[in-house]
Amino acid sequence: MHDLTQSRLLRWAAFFLFLQSIILTLSPAVRERTWNVNYEMSHWFGYFTWIFLFNLLHRVTIKYLPERDPYILPAAALLTGWGQLTIWRLDEPFGIRQTFWLGISSLVLILAIIVLKDLNFLRRYKYLFLSSGLLITALTLLLGTNPLGYGPRLWLGCCGVYFQPSEPLKLLLVIYLAAYLADRVSFQLLSIPLLIPTVTVTGLALLLLIVQRDLGTASIFVFIFTILIFLATGKRRVLFTAVAFLTLALFLGYFFIDIIRVRIIGWVNPWNDPSGNSYQIVQSLLAVANGGTVGRGLGIGSPLLVPVAISDFIYAAIAEETGLVGTIGLLALIWLILARGLIIALRATDRFRRYLAAGVVAYLGIQSLLIIGGNVRLLPLTGVTLPFVSYGGSSLLTSFWALFLLLNISNVEDGEPTTLHEPRSFSILAGILALGIAAVALSTAWWSVIRAPDLLLRTD
């Protein structure tokens, strides 16, 4: 039954992407209103590569993970293909690179499924993995570069191949916290055994990211730490403390860190400087408004007017060409992964796998909400990527590792779920994520339908 369900869903995903590819091919004729045009064909290479890789992944999961959740892989596959075709439409050279990274990420996922059947080694070597991640991330302080030639130097590499260590560092933090909390049979919220190792290691990671000015990733670290501590203790004051901490950080950052001040001003009132510091968010809102309910049409809009449309603002690019309908579909896919991930966590056979699955859900959910909320002015801009969708090899590889963890943990045959000591905390997490998805959906509707007529008439 699992195999049949996954197979059918992957076929529907392939059909959706096939239609998208045909429309992108024909879009020049629609745009020029004549058949005598140069048709777009290069993205078909990306589509057929996607077909080959996910067909291979489907077969591998059938053989090695027979009891895995059948909804996770198809949802991730559709998000990945949707993002890949969008990147091809926006910038062909980057579409080729994303296809290359999709190949690497898929091969890594296949090897992980075949070789890493038991996740207990992650638990045993938690300190080694996180320390290695911190060390590699620290190297960017000395050897870091930026592929664009300006801005924060968060990447390692050269010659057109770059890697951002802070991306996998998020998952390494999830693994560390899940293993550490699972090893504690019982603890108090303010106990020394809980506070010293977790706060010290997480604090070091945060300090490193703040020095790098990678504030989006630093925010995600705070949320991951908070959510896992909350799930382990069930104390709601952990959530309130995190909100207070982030509010204080924004307040202090406004006065002492230029990049935070610029983003807060642009968030509060972007219309004061629409062609300057607020240019990105204003163009993003205009793209969403231009999309309306059903969008301008694939290949017909002007999403390249939005800066960094292939990465930070890919949600706005999708909103312009597919409208509110398309973005609701995109959000539904993200919610499907989050919801199934929480179910996987609840069905886990031990505390480590339960916290690990919940941590992966927290990472994917918080990062998605932060970047989408920034695109529609629900939250300040953070500069992180949209998992599975945005351009970026490091981001895609990390997303596929998260996918592997969920698939592996869900592969349980007749296993009894371990005792759930804090059931209410998981319900609260599910509610928070659901409210977040609903909030960005309503915010998208606000700009694309309600405010769109007035926004598109502005002359500034």
Side-chain angles (χ1 to χ4, degrees):
M1 186 64 182
H2 288 76
D3 299 344
L4 183 60
T5 300
Q6 181 172 283
S7 178
R8 286 176 175 173
L9 291 175
L10 282 172
R11 286 174 186 166
W12 278 109
F15 177 69
F16 174 86
L17 297 177
F18 177 73
L19 291 179
Q20 185 176 359
S21 299
I22 290 178
I23 294 171
L24 288 176
T25 295
L26 298 176
S27 62
V30 178
R31 193 166 51 243
E32 302 297 332
R33 303 195 179 195
T34 176
W35 295 109
N36 187 24
V37 295
N38 293 321
Y39 292 97
E40 299 287 347
M41 299 298 296
S42 61
H43 60 273
W44 284 100
F45 172 74
Y47 172 74
F48 286 116
T49 301
W50 180 93
I51 288 285
F52 171 77
L53 291 173
F54 277 98
N55 181 59
L56 187 60
L57 281 167
H58 174 57
R59 295 177 183 276
V60 169
T61 55
I62 289 176
K63 182 176 181 179
Y64 292 96
L65 300 174
E67 300 300 323
R68 83 264 165 222
D69 186 286
Y71 299 96
I72 294 288
L73 183 63
L78 184 49
L79 283 174
T80 302
W82 196 343
Q84 182 183 353
L85 289 178
T86 302
I87 295 165
W88 271 94
R89 179 264 183 276
L90 295 170
D91 195 317
E92 182 178 320
F94 282 98
I96 295 173
R97 292 185 184 184
Q98 187 75 348
T99 303
F100 169 77
W101 278 109
L102 175 60
I104 292 178
S105 302
S106 299
L107 290 177
V108 169
L109 176 57
I110 289 170
L111 288 174
I113 291 173
I114 295 174
V115 177
L116 305 179
K117 297 179 181 180
D118 186 3
L119 298 181
N120 284 326
F121 80 98
L122 296 175
R123 186 175 185 174
R124 288 194 298 270
Y125 301 110
K126 56 183 179 292
Y127 291 105
L128 176 62
F129 288 127
L130 186 59
S131 299
S132 301
L134 287 170
L135 179 61
I136 295 173
T137 305
L139 286 177
T140 60
L141 298 175
L142 300 174
L143 306 175
T145 185
N146 190 310
L148 298 177
Y150 60 89
R153 298 184 299 171
L154 307 177
W155 288 262
L156 295 174
C158 66
C159 310
V161 179
Y162 300 94
F163 183 73
Q164 189 174 358
S166 61
E167 283 292 334
L169 189 59
K170 301 166 189 171
L171 270 189
L172 292 175
L173 177 66
V174 168
I175 292 169
Y176 166 78
L177 288 173
Y180 187 83
L181 294 172
D183 289 340
R184 310 274 82 76
V185 177
S186 63
F187 48 78
Q188 298 297 318
L189 182 58
L190 298 178
S191 63
I192 298 299
L194 172 64
L195 286 179
I196 290 182
T198 55
V199 173
T200 299
V201 174
T202 307
L204 283 174
L206 277 173
L207 179 62
L208 181 60
L209 295 170
I210 290 172
V211 170
Q212 286 184 309
R213 298 164 66 88
D214 190 0
L215 301 176
T217 300
S219 301
I220 293 171
F221 266 56
V222 172
F223 282 116
I224 289 174
F225 176 80
T226 301
I227 288 172
L228 282 174
I229 297 296
F230 169 66
L231 292 178
T233 63
K235 305 297 184 182
R236 278 175 283 186
R237 61 177 178 271
V238 174
L239 301 178
F240 298 131
T241 302
V243 172
F245 173 79
L246 288 173
T247 303
L248 178 62
L250 282 176
F251 179 78
L252 294 176
Y254 178 84
F255 291 101
F256 298 106
I257 302 177
D258 291 341
I259 189 173
I260 294 182
R261 183 185 305 113
V262 168
R263 288 182 175 178
I264 291 178
I265 292 174
W267 174 50
V268 174
N269 192 355
W271 317 113
N272 282 342
D273 191 15
S275 59
N277 289 329
S278 301
Y279 182 74
Q280 287 182 313
I281 183 60
V282 168
Q283 291 300 314
S284 177
L285 296 178
L286 286 172
V288 174
N290 213 17
T293 303
V294 296
R296 296 287 301 279
L298 294 173
I300 309 299
S302 304
L304 284 172
L305 293 176
V306 183
V308 206
I310 62 172
S311 181
D312 295 5
F313 290 92
I314 197 168
Y315 180 82
I318 291 174
E320 180 178 1
E321 296 202 330
T322 65
L324 179 63
V325 173
T327 56
I328 293 297
L330 186 73
L331 292 172
L333 287 172
I334 294 172
W335 172 246
L336 176 60
I337 293 177
L338 301 182
R340 298 304 300 183
L342 286 174
I343 292 173
I344 291 169
L346 292 173
R347 292 176 177 174
T349 54
D350 61 58
R351 283 155 51 89
F352 170 63
R353 286 169 175 77
R354 173 166 292 162
Y355 292 147
L356 186 57
V360 169
V361 169
Y363 151 63
L364 294 174
I366 294 301
Q367 180 152 325
S368 298
L369 292 174
L370 280 178
I371 189 58
I372 296 174
N375 277 206
V376 294
R377 204 187 151 210
L378 186 65
L379 299 168
L381 289 174
T382 53
V384 295
T385 54
L386 183 57
F388 297 108
V389 182
S390 291
Y391 170 78
S394 309
S395 174
L396 189 62
L397 187 58
T398 305
S399 298
F400 270 55
W401 264 107
L403 178 62
F404 161 69
L405 293 175
L406 291 179
L407 289 172
N408 185 287
I409 296 169
S410 68
N411 187 48
V412 178
E413 183 177 5
D414 300 328
E416 284 295 324
T418 188
T419 304
L420 185 60
H421 297 288
E422 299 292 343
R424 186 171 177 80
S425 60
F426 281 84
S427 299
I428 292 174
L429 175 59
I432 291 173
L433 293 174
L435 285 175
I437 294 291
V440 294
L442 290 173
S443 187
T444 303
W446 170 259
W447 294 111
S448 63
V449 178
I450 299 174
R451 287 296 310 279
D454 294 334
L455 192 58
L456 295 176
L457 290 176
R458 292 183 70 105
T459 58
D460 56 349

